[in-house]
Amino acid sequence: MLYRLKTDFRLSIITLLGASAVLGITPFAVMRFLQGNVVAGIVDTLILLGITGSVVYAWMTGDTRRSGLVCALIACGGAVTVGAVVGEPGLFWLYPCLVTTFFLTTPRIAVVLNIMSVVALVVHGGAFRSEVHMWTFVATALVVSACAYVFAYRNHNQRERLEHLATVDPLTGIKNRRSMDEELELAVANSVRTGLPYALVLLDIDHFKKINDEHGHGVGDDVLVDLVALLAQNTRKSDQLFRFGGEEFVLLLPGVDGIGLKAVMNNLQQVLRKYMKHPGGTVTASFGVALLKPGESVDSWLARADAALYQAAYSGERDRSFRGS
């Protein structure tokens, strides 16, 4: 539970809104029923039930996009209704809604919801003592919305940058091992669900340490970048390439069976032999391949490919063949 709250920002906002609704709205709903203000009490209750239902839906399905939008609609609509029914005291409920909409849904939708909420209260007009009061409210609502927009926009950009840094290899620009683990889990789950075959290819550049020692790390980096570019040019868009670590790479091939895998590997070996060069000569590589077996786990699948790579690397047949498992 805590892990999901830490890793899913929108879910944490939805949950926080739900907790705030329960703690903040429930006393007012009870008080209004006790005071005989049944309409306001019913409105508060419906808002509370709607937000709570959205929180439960978000936790059960993981669909924070829809639940966030529903929460934003309920919060803004409820705040406008409370303002219209209760009058001036109800206006204060709109301010937290103007802020949270930017974290519950997209900035464009949040701007539209905020403007519509303010316009609805202005058109109704019953919550304001005077025009000065009304326009003061409009000005402060716009300022709050503008500040929330800027903060939410910067927060979104920073989260995207952090996610990029956490999932992409900075040198080659391809996905790293963390992304690989997630994609392999998805591949296994998809294979179980649809029966689609998957192949895994582990690639290790031969004598890469020697290249670094004799020609410098700059040349070694260039070899890695050139290799990634070459693999990208000679694989499908649906194939995924990951940097496993150092000079090792993993290629995930969806929809590839044994016959197709042999054709892919033969093509890659020819391409690497023809185009991969460095100041000291040709760059060679060893391959280990494994087709996903029915019911197999990611760890077992990866271990078989790694064992095949080890066999290929030490069999004396570097770059002339590959080993499968």
Side-chain angles (χ1 to χ4, degrees), residues 18 21-23 25-26 29 43-53 74:
V22 172
L23 296 175
I25 299 177
T26 302
V43 171
D44 288 340
T45 303
L46 291 175
I47 294 171
L48 183 61
L49 291 175
I51 292 178
T52 303
I74 293 173

Side-chain angles (χ1 to χ4, degrees), residues 243-287:
R243 188 176 181 186
F244 192 47
E247 68 276 18
E248 286 189 84
F249 296 86
V250 172
L251 188 60
L252 177 62
L253 307 172
V256 174
D257 56 15
I259 297 176
L261 182 58
K262 289 183 179 179
V264 170
M265 295 311 303
N266 289 331
N267 177 62
L268 289 180
Q269 287 177 328
Q270 293 176 12
V271 168
L272 294 182
R273 188 182 298 114
K274 183 176 181 180
Y275 294 107
M276 282 300 297
K277 309 289 182 182
H278 71 92
T282 303
V283 177
T284 62
S286 300
F287 297 86

Side-chain angles (χ1 to χ4, degrees), residues 230-246:
L230 200 59
L231 291 174
Q233 292 171 4
N234 291 274
T235 52
R236 305 167 302 174
K237 289 184 178 180
S238 59
D239 300 334
Q240 297 191 66
L241 181 64
F242 311 92
R243 188 176 181 186
F244 192 47

Side-chain angles (χ1 to χ4, degrees), residues 26-41:
T26 302
F28 284 93
V30 174
M31 180 187 69
R32 282 163 181 156
F33 278 119
L34 293 176
Q35 291 177 343
N37 193 347
V38 178
V39 176

Side-chain angles (χ1 to χ4, degrees), residues 269-312:
Q269 287 177 328
Q270 293 176 12
V271 168
L272 294 182
R273 188 182 298 114
K274 183 176 181 180
Y275 294 107
M276 282 300 297
K277 309 289 182 182
H278 71 92
T282 303
V283 177
T284 62
S286 300
F287 297 86
V289 302
L291 292 169
L292 179 62
K293 295 180 179 179
E296 187 175 26
S297 67
V298 170
D299 290 339
S300 173
W301 187 22
L302 193 58
R304 288 195 299 110
D306 190 51
L309 174 63
Y310 182 86
Q311 183 182 3

Side-chain angles (χ1 to χ4, degrees), residues 5-84:
L5 289 176
K6 290 180 180 179
T7 57
D8 193 328
F9 178 75
R10 186 172 288 174
L11 179 62
S12 65
I13 294 296
I14 293 172
T15 304
L16 178 61
L17 178 62
S20 300
V22 172
L23 296 175
I25 299 177
T26 302
F28 284 93
V30 174
M31 180 187 69
R32 282 163 181 156
F33 278 119
L34 293 176
Q35 291 177 343
N37 193 347
V38 178
V39 176
I42 291 175
V43 171
D44 288 340
T45 303
L46 291 175
I47 294 171
L48 183 61
L49 291 175
I51 292 178
T52 303
S54 298
V55 173
V56 172
Y57 175 82
W59 275 96
M60 292 181 61
T61 66
D63 185 0
T64 57
R65 187 173 300 276
R66 286 192 180 90
S67 55
L69 177 59
V70 171
C71 278
L73 289 169
I74 293 173
C76 288
V80 170
T81 305
V82 169

